[in-house]
Amino acid sequence: MGSYGLIGETSRPRRARRLGRAWKRRCSLWLFSLSLISLVYLAFFGARLPFDSLHHGHVNERIFANEVEKSKMRHANDYISEDINTLLEGQGSHASLGKEISVNKSNFRNLGFASDIKNNLSHARADSQLEGSKHSRAKSRKRHVPCEVGFAESVDNLVEPENYLNFTKFSLEYITKEETSNKNVVIEPRFGGHQTLEQREKSFYARNQTIYCGFVQAPEGYRGTGFDLSEKDGEYMASCIVVVSSCIFGNSDFLRRPTSSKIGTYSKKNVCFMMFLDELTLKKLSSEGHVPDDMGNIGLWRIIVVKNLPYADMRKTGKVPKFLSHRLFPSARFSIWIDSKMRLHADPMLILEYFLWRTRSEYAISNHYDRHCVWEEVLQNKRLNKYNHTVIDQQFMFYQSDGLSKFNESEHSSILPSFVPEGSFIVRAHTPMSNLFSCLWFNEVNRFTSRDQIVSGEQLANCSIISW
């Protein structure tokens, strides 16, 4: 009996353990089944689950972020306005700049700026759409579509119009070397030179003159000011009559070759396709398989390696081939500039015929697809941190003290469709007026920031005072 009692006592815990293991297995099966059912339910009906409070929280968060952004923009605008008012009140001498500029209206009438291609960059705005029934705001997106350009069917029958270059004529010379009368004064050599405000103001006249326009040589004993080219490249560039050029500095982009099938035999033989690179960019492109051939070409691009870059800012260095094609190609009669972000997809001769010859213009540049006023361009540059805000403010205040006003479409539509062009595409004849305008634009970039769309507003405003 004693042994029976002992066996009974030990059998109970064993039986309990077996029941516990069975219960755990059943619970695991139930939990797995419940989880599977929940997942299936969420997969088919999850979008309709009542998560209104969470969803509403996200909407409010976005609205709050938008309000904060608007507040920042208002404060930035007020900040610029206050600084400008302070400058105008405290620096009367600057406020008088530009007021004495007055030239006969015929002086600039032939400079065909964006009005010649005013409709060539059309854009459309997408309609705002509600994202859901719970959304109180809808995001609007801008949609830009390619424009239709009525190029001639072929280059075979293209003929430059008679007396096409019968524009305003004057002699334009360039300062190539700076000298100082005081030997004790040390002037740091600069590629763009040291233009004074008085020299700047006088340079806006369309007349025989000698002006700053880059490539200012350093005095003897000083390091060169930069943008050094090989003698071989210089000789080749001096022979070009029609030029298509672009650049990549600081390994800032990848190489886009012109579409060879779209370019005719005549242009391939007679047009210079020039791509300016620094050594770093060339090394990177070569590692990616873009190696120049024995003639120094990558596709249609003739590679020009620039040494001793004139500016630490690669964007500012890129303005040299962009604006100073008449200095780089002294024999050229026409040039086309395209930013490295673009690919040439049309025959250069067709481009010249459409934008210059057909309209008898000297200068053509695309209209900006979003903005037309420098005020808007300044705020956008600061919002996207395109450049140091303090430097942008200084430049903007200087231009306002120089007479820059907000763009008014009703006042300028007959002459200029905008004060803010899209400078990624420029077609120009190398006439005195076109060369002067390009030098003026470059000098402003050299003096201030590399944001040439801010600069362009000042140049266009001055040219509007002078009249085109």
Side-chain angles (χ1 to χ4, degrees), residues 406-422:
K406 290 187 176 181
F407 178 77
N408 187 330
E409 186 175 358
S410 62
E411 295 179 1
H412 299 281
S413 59
S414 61
I415 303 175
L416 299 173
S418 172
F419 274 177
V420 184
E422 170 53 52

Side-chain angles (χ1 to χ4, degrees), residues 47-63:
R48 300 180 182 179
L49 288 179
F51 291 149
D52 290 357
S53 60
L54 179 62
H55 182 75
H56 181 68
H58 284 308
V59 173
N60 286 342
E61 188 174 315
R62 284 195 295 271
I63 295 174

Side-chain angles (χ1 to χ4, degrees), residues 396-450:
F396 186 44
M397 288 187 293
F398 178 87
Y399 286 163
Q400 285 204 93
S401 69
D402 201 18
L404 178 65
S405 59
K406 290 187 176 181
F407 178 77
N408 187 330
E409 186 175 358
S410 62
E411 295 179 1
H412 299 281
S413 59
S414 61
I415 303 175
L416 299 173
S418 172
F419 274 177
V420 184
E422 170 53 52
S424 58
F425 176 69
I426 301 174
V427 187
R428 50 177 293 218
H430 288 193
T431 62
M433 194 69 74
S434 171
N435 295 343
L436 173 60
F437 182 79
S438 298
C439 289
L440 296 177
W441 203 343
F442 174 79
N443 288 340
E444 295 302 297
V445 171
N446 178 68
R447 180 183 294 274
F448 293 108
T449 73
S450 60

Side-chain angles (χ1 to χ4, degrees), residues 3 75 79 86 129 164 174 227 251 261 270 304 368 389 455 459:
S3 61
H75 285 305
Y79 170 71
T86 303
Q129 297 179 349
Y164 164 70
Y174 309 108
F227 215 86
N251 194 27
S261 61
N270 296 279
I304 305 296
H368 199 281
H389 291 197
V455 173
Q459 299 309 313

